[in-house]
Structures are given as C-alpha cells and as structure tokens.
C-alpha cells in the first residue's frame, strides 16, 4: 500500500429521467466531468450496482487508439439512481496494462464487482509470459484497499491466456472462485471474501491441471451444494506434455470437461468428460466422403434452478468438407448452433439436444437467472439483441433499440442478476445515456415468486405478515417432492444501524427432525417449528433466511435454491409502509426544500390518520424519500411507520394497511381526493411493506 489515492471527483448526481418509447424501458442521462473518455470495461454487483471503467486516450496508430493514460476513471451507478465519479492515479499498476494487448481491441485490465461495496481490477505484473495475475481492491468510495497476487505465472504454457472470477449470488461466506488457463493447462483458487481492508485468505487450490487439449474456452459457476463447477473444452492437437509444473494429467480427447469443488469437504473431483465432440461422416458417394466437423467456440453453464442438476450450452461451429477437395462448391454452408446438455452433479447426463438456431455473425449468449437466454450478435458497429427461451428457440427481440449503436469504446450492455438488461451509450458533449429493460424476465412476478425462487409455491406466514410469541410454525412449499439436506434455515431480527442483525433461531435441515419435518400429506412442504423466544420483541422486523441446499429434490437428489435475506420478512408490531406519489405529485415534492418536505410528510400522516381513520400517534412519517425507477416517469416513494397495538378493540398495523389500500383502490370516490397531500398519492401503487 503506502500509495496516495487521488480522488479527483466524488460527486453524487441525481440522474435525469427521460421519456421512453416503451413502458418497460427506463432511461436517464448523466454528464461526465471528464470529456473524451473511452469505455473500457464494465461489471455489476448482485445488488444492481453498475461499475464502469473508462480511459483517457493518449496514443493512436493509424487513427485507432492503442493506449490510454494511466489514470483509472470509475463511474459507479448505484441502485438508488445516483452516480459517483472517481479518478485514481497512484495505484502501482504498470503502464503497459493501459495499452491494447497484441492482436486485440482491449487492454490488459478487467473489472469485477462484489456485493460488499467494493470491486477488483485485474492486471498483469509484466507483459511477458512470466506475468502473475494481480488484483487491486477498491471500495465504492474510490479508496484503494489492497493489492493482491491471485495466481502465479504459467511460463511453461505460454503464460496466462485467460482468467475469470465467480462470486456467489447470495452467500458471501463462500468467498470467490478465481480460475485461469494457459494454452493447455488450467488452474483454480478458492479465496475468502475480502475484509474491510481488502485482505483475502486462500482456502483451497487445484494446482496446475494438464488438460491435454488446446483450451478454447472455460467457464465456472456456483453450485447450490455450496461449491463451484469449472467447465472447459477445446481441440486435441500435437501438444507438448513435458510440462514439469503439471499436477494432474488426463487422457487426450477432444471435448468438454467438468470439475466440481465442494467447500464444506474441500473435495474436488477429477476432470470428467461431459461431452466428446464428434466428427461425423454423413455420406459417401463416388469414393468421396462428406465430413461434418464440429468446433467448440464457447461454453455457458449454470445451475438448473428447478432442481434438475446443471445445464451447459456449447456454442459450436459446424463445417462441411469432402475427402476430394476439388469440388466443394455444393457443400452445405458453415453453421453456428447451440448444443444444450443437462446433467446431474454426479456427472450423469440427463438430456442432450441440438438447439435450432443458426447464426451467421459473431454472437454471445448469456443465461438469465431463472430460464431463457440473452443472445447478442455483433455486426460491425451494431449490436442486435434477442431473447431465447429455455429450449434455445427465438422468443422475441429485446425491447431495447434494435439494433443498438455500438461503436468501439462508446457503448456496452450488462445483464443484471434480476434479469434486467442495461445499456450504456455515448451521446455527445460528454453526455452518456443509460437504458434499462425489465421486460426480459421469464419468471412470473406474482407473490409466490417474490422470493426470487422459481420452485417455491407458497410460504406461510406470507411476506410482511404479523407474527408474535404465539406463532408456532412456518410452512414452506415447493413444486416437487423434497427431502431435507445439510444446510440451515435461520430467523434474524433486524437491528437498525448496527449492521449486525440478531440471530434468533437456526435449524439444520437433515439433523433437526424435532424442528424441521416434511409434511407427509404432500412431501412438498417443510414445517419449521418456532421457539417461543424467537418473535418476542414487539415492534420489530424479522426475516427468514433459507440457505441453498436446505432441501433437495427427491427424484434427482439435487440441492435446491434457498431464500436470501430481507425477502421473507415478518413483523411484530409496527411496519413500514411505502406510498408512491403521482408524477405531478413527485415534481411538486421535489420542488420543496427539505424543511417543507418534512412538513408535507407530517401533514400527509395527519390527513391519512383522519381518512382511514386511525389514532394520530399510530402513523408517523420517515423523513426523506427514494426514487422509483420502475416506471418511465419520475416518481417519489415516501415511507410511514404504522405502529401496532395489543388492544384487540383497535386496528392492527396490518388492518390499517389493508384499509388504506381499499381506499386507494377507489381513490376518486374517497376522501383522499379532498386533501392536498393525499390527492397526490398514486392509486396504481398500493401501499407495500418495506423489505429493508
């Protein structure tokens, strides 16, 4: 460390919302304080924070930029619709990392985001084959935390040819998974999540794995049984196997291989052959054979969240040739297609089927979280986007402009964890536009799917329900017959302002038969017993966390997805309700100064107490507001605390919320129209309980 981080800009800008041609699109623009920047890399955190890394061009060859100055320009777009600008100069990264890699259109650095409000920038320690892979941890305030070495060089295999990172979507305790490859070898390391100082601990590593193939591509993903899977593939060729650094060696085969690593046991499997890529002789005629050769281009893998194991898509190129090269004019054209392979964690393949799509241009496929795929095609400076269904068939075009203008270093797109697609484009005069498409989701957004889990059918008590000391059980139901497994279900009490929520009870599925049982009536519902001390604090917010692998699907024995924190929320007493203002009401509210906004909130609480009706001390405002980005218009969210009561002759907090929503549903016929504050409430947005 010992380096001074120069933060040139630390500006929080409230973004300007623009009208959109689609009700599903949200757009805003921002003006960058630094003119002439090129967009070099991007990533996102699981909470939706977008990280953009820019460079200031300083060198050109034949009219094309080849180097940028050695300042790291970061633009962090936060989920609350604000953006931070940072410029970091004293970082210790060698200058060559700010120039193009030979034969490519990108520099040596890559950006990755973490949920703990920091990022890592990868870079090379040297521009030789002896280069190690380094990482620079930076928090979202632009402060350098630490420089770490992630992997030694691979000099005997031509150096590190590619590297990647996997961060679990929900479980920070499971750290992150770094993997890299050379021409014929691959290696991975499991690290802990960095602490607040950027320190990481090496938990496990594979050593150097000799694959005996020319590696074309590799990918990895987090598996629900608390671990990671690494898939790689390529073409066999004449390979020098005299590598003294090799730790594992496997037989020579042209195909795709998978390795599983499990965190709890520290066990990692030997590479096993998932799919052998064939060369097919289709027909013979006049001493001539028509040969179809398949070439692997890419692999995309993910968990099958229906509990059916895992899925890998192989992006293949199909080329035809004959044994007589004198007459190839009538050969079928070269084709690109996707091959979908479903398989269990045991390695057993459950289904292989060709996908039907044929693509003539350079394309890229990314999986949505709970089904379907985003496919983008690049044609010169244009980007075309398509939504594919789970079978790989074309579902529709994306809702973003088609095509998207994509000049080099002036635009990009990201697929967020919630399956929203975000594009970033340069406009002019340092103005950049950001557009978000929420319409790509395949999973229904009804109440049963608010857990971000496609196989949970119901939960009782429901989200936001009132509980108390007399609450005896929780019920959680799934689409399939299930068995209990080795992970936990936990209930926490939210302790505001501490960052450390209080654990009230925790049961492991498989070893807590007294407290967790499968309902024998359907074998799909888990009944969880509640300790009498769990919900004993009045006017408090609780949430239930179901870890991945708390249950398994009975027929496949595959781990099932759980429920993240702050989704299954329960309350004892007071609840926090959210009210949205109309676009005109929002404009009026934002025109007020902070003192008048506070008076507005207090007056609205008074008016609502009179209209519902409820005692004045039961409904109190929380000063402040948030923006709602779920519409194309600028709308404001206000928050009110609804206090509960033990007096059975008075309305409960939940009943107050229900009565308000009944009034709001028929707003134009109710007294809400008679008050200057309540008149501005959006009747299309029922009061909801704040999850956080």
């Amino acid at each position: 460390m010992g380096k001074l981080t120069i933060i040139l800009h630390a500006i929080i800008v409230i973004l300007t919302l623009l009208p959109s041609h689609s009700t599903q699109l949200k757009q805003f623009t921002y003006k960058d304080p630094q003119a002439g920047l090129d967009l070099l890399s991007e990533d996102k955190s699981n909470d939706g924070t977008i990280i953009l890394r820019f460079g200031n061009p300083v060198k050109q060859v034949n009219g094309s930029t080849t180097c940028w100055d050695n300042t790291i320009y970061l633009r962090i777009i936060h989920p609350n619709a604000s953006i931070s600008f940072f410029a970091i100069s004293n970082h210790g990264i060698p200058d060559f990392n700010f120039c193009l890699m030979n034969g490519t259109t990108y520099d040596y650095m890559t950006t990755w985001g973490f949920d703990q409000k920091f990022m890592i920038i990868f870079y090379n320690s040297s521009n030789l084959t002896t280069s190690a892979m380094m990482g620079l941890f930076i928090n979202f305030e632009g402060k350098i935390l630490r420089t770490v070495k992630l992997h030694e060089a691979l000099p005997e295999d031509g150096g590190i040819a590619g590297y990647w990172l996997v961060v679990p979507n929900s479980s920070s305790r499971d750290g992150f998974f770094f993997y890299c490859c050379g021409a014929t070898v691959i290696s991975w390391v499991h690290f802990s999540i960095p602490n607040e100082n950027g320190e990481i601990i090496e938990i496990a590593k594979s050593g150097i794995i000799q694959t005996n193939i020319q590696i074309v591509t590799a990918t990895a993903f987090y598996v629900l049984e608390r671990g990671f899977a690494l898939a790689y593939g390529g073409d066999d060729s004449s390979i020098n196997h005299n590598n003294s650094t090799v730790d594992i060696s496997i037989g020579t085969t042209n195909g795709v291989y998978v390795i599983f690593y499990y965190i709890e046991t520290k066990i990692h499997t030997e590479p096993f052959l998932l799919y052998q890529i064939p060369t097919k002789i289709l027909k013979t005629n006049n001493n001539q054979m028509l040969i179809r050769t398949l070439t692997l281009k890419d692999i995309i893998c993910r968990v099958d969240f229906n509990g059916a194991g895992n899925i890998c898509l192989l992006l293949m190129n199909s080329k035809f040739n004959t044994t007589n090269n004198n007459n190839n004019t009538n050969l079928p054209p070269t084709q690109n297609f996707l091959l979908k392979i479903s398989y269990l964690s045991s390695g057993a393949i459950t289904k292989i089927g060709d996908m039907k799509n044929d693509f003539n241009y350079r394309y890229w496929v990314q999986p949505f979280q709970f089904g379907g795929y985003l496919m983008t095609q690049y044609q010169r400076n244009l980007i075309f986007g398509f939504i594919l269904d789970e079978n790989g068939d074309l579902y529709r075009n994306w809702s973003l402009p088609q095509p998207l203008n994509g000049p080099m270093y002036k635009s990009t797109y990201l697929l967020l964890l919630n399956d929203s697609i975000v594009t970033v484009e340069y406009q002019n005069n340092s103005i950049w536009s950001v557009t978000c498409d929420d319409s790509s989701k395949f999973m229904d957004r009804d109440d049963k799917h608010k857990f971000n889990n496609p196989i949970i059918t119901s939960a009782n008590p429901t989200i936001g329900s009132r509980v108390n000391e007399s609450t005896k059980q929780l019920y959680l139901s799934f689409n399939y017959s299930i068995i209990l497994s080795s992970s936990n279900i936990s209930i926490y009490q939210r302790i505001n302002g501490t960052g450390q929520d209080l654990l009230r009870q925790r049961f492991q599925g498989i070893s807590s038969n007294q407290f967790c049982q499968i309902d024998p009536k359907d074998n799909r519902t888990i009944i969880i017993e509640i300790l009498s001390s769990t919900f004993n604090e009045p006017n408090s917010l609780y949430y239930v966390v179901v870890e991945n692998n708390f249950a398994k699907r009975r027929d496949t024995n595959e781990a099932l997805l759980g429920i993240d924190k702050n989704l299954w929320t329960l309350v004892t007493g007071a609840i926090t309700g959210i009210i949205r203002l109309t676009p005109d009401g929002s404009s009026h509210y934002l025109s007020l100064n902070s003192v008048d906004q506070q008076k507005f909130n207090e007056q609205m609480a008074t008016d609502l107490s009179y209209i519902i009706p409820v005692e004045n001390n039961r409904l109190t405002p929380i000063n402040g507001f948030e923006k709602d980005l779920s519409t194309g218009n600028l709308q404001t969210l206000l928050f009110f605390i609804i206090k509960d009561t033990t007096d059975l002759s008075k309305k409960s907090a939940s009943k107050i919320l229900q009565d308000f929503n009944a009034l709001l549903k028929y707003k134009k016929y109710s007294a809400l129209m008679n008050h200057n504050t309540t008149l501005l409430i959006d009747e299309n947005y029922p009061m909801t309980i704040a999850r956080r």
Side-chain angles (χ1 to χ4, degrees):
M1 295 291 289
K3 303 267 182 195
L4 174 64
T5 302
I6 301 177
I7 304 178
L8 299 182
H9 303 280
I11 308 168
I12 303 297
V13 178
I14 299 299
L15 304 178
T16 303
L17 294 174
L18 299 177
S20 169
H21 68 275
S22 168
T23 57
Q24 298 290 346
L25 296 183
K26 284 112 48 184
Q27 296 177 309
F28 57 83
T29 63
Y30 73 88
K31 185 170 184 178
D32 202 290
Q34 177 76 32
L37 295 182
D38 288 341
L39 178 55
L40 300 179
S41 68
E42 69 288 326
D43 199 45
K44 74 279 184 181
S45 298
N46 292 329
D47 66 355
T49 301
I50 296 173
I51 305 164
L52 306 175
R53 180 177 63 87
F54 290 83
N56 187 25
V58 295
K59 181 180 179 180
Q60 289 192 338
V61 175
N62 297 326
S64 298
T65 300
T66 59
C67 291
W68 295 263
D69 70 23
N70 63 358
T71 298
I72 301 172
Y73 299 90
L74 296 173
R75 308 302 183 242
I76 301 175
I77 303 175
H78 303 276
N80 68 349
S82 63
I83 180 169
S84 302
F85 302 86
F86 302 107
I88 304 174
S89 298
N90 293 338
H91 40 64
I93 299 177
D95 288 349
F96 73 88
N97 286 278
F98 294 86
C99 294
L100 293 179
M101 298 179 66
N102 291 334
T104 73
T105 57
Y106 46 85
D107 63 3
Y108 284 79
M109 295 184 291
T110 309
T111 308
W112 241 278
F114 288 79
D115 274 356
Q116 290 72 23
K117 296 191 180 303
F118 60 85
M119 72 195 79
I120 185 172
I121 295 180
F122 295 104
Y123 67 92
N124 287 27
S125 62
S126 77
N127 56 356
L128 305 174
T129 59
T130 55
S131 171
M133 204 67 244
M134 308 297 294
L136 183 71
F137 284 110
I138 305 173
N139 66 19
F140 283 3
E141 297 176 355
K143 178 183 178 182
I144 292 179
L145 301 177
R146 188 171 296 270
T147 299
V148 298
K149 180 184 290 187
L150 297 166
H151 204 282
E152 298 288 351
L154 300 174
E156 296 187 31
D157 202 54
I160 296 176
Y163 58 88
W164 301 266
L165 185 74
V166 177
V167 181
N169 291 341
S170 58
S171 182
S172 61
R173 67 171 179 153
D174 288 341
F176 67 95
F177 187 78
F178 175 85
Y179 59 108
C180 61
C181 65
T184 64
V185 301
I186 197 164
S187 178
W188 58 261
V189 186
H190 177 211
F191 293 102
S192 66
I193 284 291
N195 62 19
E196 60 184 8
N197 298 318
E199 298 169 323
I200 59 176
I201 299 172
E202 182 183 291
I203 299 173
K205 63 180 180 179
S206 65
I208 307 299
I209 303 173
Q210 175 68 64
T211 67
N212 292 343
I213 60 173
Q214 292 285 350
I215 297 175
V216 172
T217 183
T219 188
F221 59 99
Y222 180 73
V223 296
L224 298 181
E225 202 165 346
R226 292 198 62 210
F228 299 90
L230 172 60
Y232 62 90
D235 301 322
D236 55 6
S237 59
S238 56
I239 299 173
N240 178 16
H241 302 306
N242 297 321
N243 191 335
S244 60
T245 64
V246 169
D247 297 311
I248 303 173
S249 183
I250 59 175
T252 302
T253 308
N254 182 24
V256 176
Y257 296 84
V258 177
I259 299 169
F260 283 102
Y261 159 66
Y262 297 102
I263 295 171
E264 290 183 345
T265 61
K266 302 293 189 300
I267 292 175
H268 51 91
T269 66
E270 299 293 321
F272 66 86
L273 181 64
L274 178 68
Y275 182 74
Q276 186 169 353
I277 301 174
T279 295
K280 295 182 179 180
I281 300 176
L282 300 182
K283 64 179 181 180
T284 59
N285 184 25
N286 298 327
N287 297 321
Q288 181 173 274
M289 291 187 296
L290 177 62
I291 301 172
R292 181 192 190 190
T293 302
L294 300 179
T295 304
L296 180 68
K297 296 297 184 182
D298 202 358
I299 309 172
I300 304 100
C301 299
R302 65 172 175 85
V303 169
D304 185 336
F305 288 105
N306 286 310
N310 311 288
I311 297 171
C312 281
L313 295 184
L314 311 187
L315 279 66
M316 311 282 284
N317 175 267
S318 174
K319 186 175 182 179
F320 296 88
N321 211 330
T322 64
T323 53
N324 182 355
N325 294 322
N326 295 328
N327 184 19
N328 289 342
T329 57
N330 296 322
L331 291 177
T334 298
Q335 293 178 319
N336 299 313
F337 68 94
L338 303 174
L339 180 70
K340 179 180 177 181
I341 301 177
S342 301
Y343 60 101
L344 302 178
S345 298
S346 63
I349 293 177
T350 57
K351 186 178 181 180
I352 298 179
D354 284 358
M355 289 189 169
K356 308 175 183 65
N357 297 286
D358 177 28
F359 316 115
N360 297 321
Y361 295 91
R362 184 167 61 98
Y363 62 95
W364 175 248
V365 177
Q366 295 172 267
F368 288 119
Q369 176 78 345
F370 299 117
Y373 302 88
L374 169 65
M375 185 187 73
T376 50
Q377 289 183 322
Y378 295 82
Q379 301 181 31
R380 298 182 177 88
N381 284 336
L382 301 177
I383 303 175
F384 293 80
F386 306 94
I387 309 298
L388 308 181
D389 64 18
E390 187 63 18
N391 295 317
D393 293 317
L394 180 63
Y395 180 66
R396 61 170 176 80
N397 293 349
W398 64 7
S399 298
L400 296 162
Q402 184 82 300
L404 182 70
N405 189 25
M408 186 72 68
Y409 310 130
K410 296 301 181 184
S411 67
T412 190
Y413 73 91
L414 302 96
L415 178 60
L416 303 185
L417 183 64
N418 67 354
D419 289 345
S420 297
I421 306 170
V422 176
T423 64
V424 181
E425 300 176 86
Y426 179 72
Q427 301 296 306
N428 52 59
N429 298 324
S430 300
I431 300 295
W432 293 78
S433 69
V434 181
T435 306
C436 180
D437 173 20
D438 284 336
S439 65
S440 57
K441 301 177 177 66
F442 277 84
M443 190 173 69
D444 296 332
R445 304 310 297 173
D446 55 18
D447 286 342
K448 71 179 182 179
H449 287 138
K450 287 182 179 178
F451 298 118
N452 290 332
N453 190 320
I455 60 171
I456 290 179
T457 58
S458 65
N460 189 22
T462 58
I463 293 175
S465 293
R466 183 186 177 190
V467 292
N468 52 46
E469 292 178 344
S470 64
T471 302
K472 301 298 183 183
Q473 294 172 325
L474 301 180
Y475 299 84
L476 189 62
S477 299
F478 295 81
N479 281 333
Y480 306 97
S481 295
I482 56 172
I483 57 175
L484 293 172
S485 191
S486 59
S487 292
N488 302 316
I489 183 169
S490 306
I491 300 177
Y492 291 87
Q493 179 185 348
R494 168 60 62 83
I495 308 297
N496 290 327
T498 66
Q500 298 293 327
D501 296 335
L502 179 62
L503 176 66
R504 303 310 302 260
Q505 71 173 56
R506 172 177 290 161
F507 299 137
Q508 186 185 44
I510 199 169
S511 63
S512 303
N513 293 336
Q514 179 182 356
F515 301 104
C516 301
Q517 296 181 355
I518 304 294
D519 189 343
K521 296 178 182 178
D522 62 6
N523 288 320
R524 298 184 179 190
T525 300
I526 303 176
I527 305 172
I528 302 100
E529 300 295 326
I530 302 300
L531 303 179
S532 60
S533 60
T534 297
F535 296 126
N536 65 355
E537 187 71 24
N539 300 324
S540 296
L541 175 67
Y542 295 79
Y543 58 88
V544 184
V545 174
V546 182
E547 295 177 5
N548 300 332
N549 196 36
F550 174 67
K552 289 186 175 183
R553 186 165 154 176
R554 185 181 296 269
D555 57 347
T556 63
N557 201 41
E558 291 289 329
L560 297 180
L561 185 67
I563 300 175
D564 291 342
K565 64 184 297 187
N566 297 314
L567 294 180
W568 190 0
T569 53
L570 304 169
V571 295
T572 56
I575 60 178
T576 300
I578 307 174
I579 289 175
R580 186 170 74 184
L581 301 182
T582 64
D584 289 342
S586 299
S587 297
H588 169 71
Y589 186 86
L590 293 175
S591 70
L592 303 175
N593 59 39
S594 60
V595 174
D596 288 337
Q597 287 178 350
Q598 181 177 347
K599 291 179 179 179
F600 182 95
N601 295 344
E602 292 170 352
Q603 185 60 49
M604 178 176 280
T606 300
D607 294 340
L608 287 173
S609 298
Y610 174 76
I611 296 170
I612 291 175
V614 64
E615 299 87 347
N616 285 335
N617 64 349
R618 299 279 305 281
L619 189 64
T620 56
I622 298 176
N623 291 326
F625 66 93
E626 287 189 10
K627 286 185 176 181
D628 181 10
L629 295 183
S630 66
T631 70
N633 298 312
L634 173 61
Q635 293 189 252
T636 302
L637 301 177
L638 303 180
F639 299 82
F640 295 84
I641 296 175
I642 307 174
K643 295 180 181 178
D644 208 356
T645 178
T646 57
D647 187 344
L648 297 180
S649 66
K650 297 180 179 180
K651 296 178 182 179
S652 67
S654 297
K655 185 63 168 62
I656 294 171
L657 183 145
Q658 293 172 10
D659 287 353
F660 168 78
N661 282 336
L663 287 166
L664 188 63
K665 184 177 181 180
Y666 302 102
K667 173 186 171 183
K668 65 180 180 179
Y669 306 111
S670 73
L672 294 172
M673 301 293 293
N674 298 335
H675 297 264
N676 291 334
T677 60
T678 58
L679 177 65
L680 301 179
I681 297 176
D682 187 350
E683 64 269 28
N684 297 313
Y685 188 89
M687 179 186 283
T688 57
I689 296 175
R691 293 184 180 180
R692 298 179 183 272

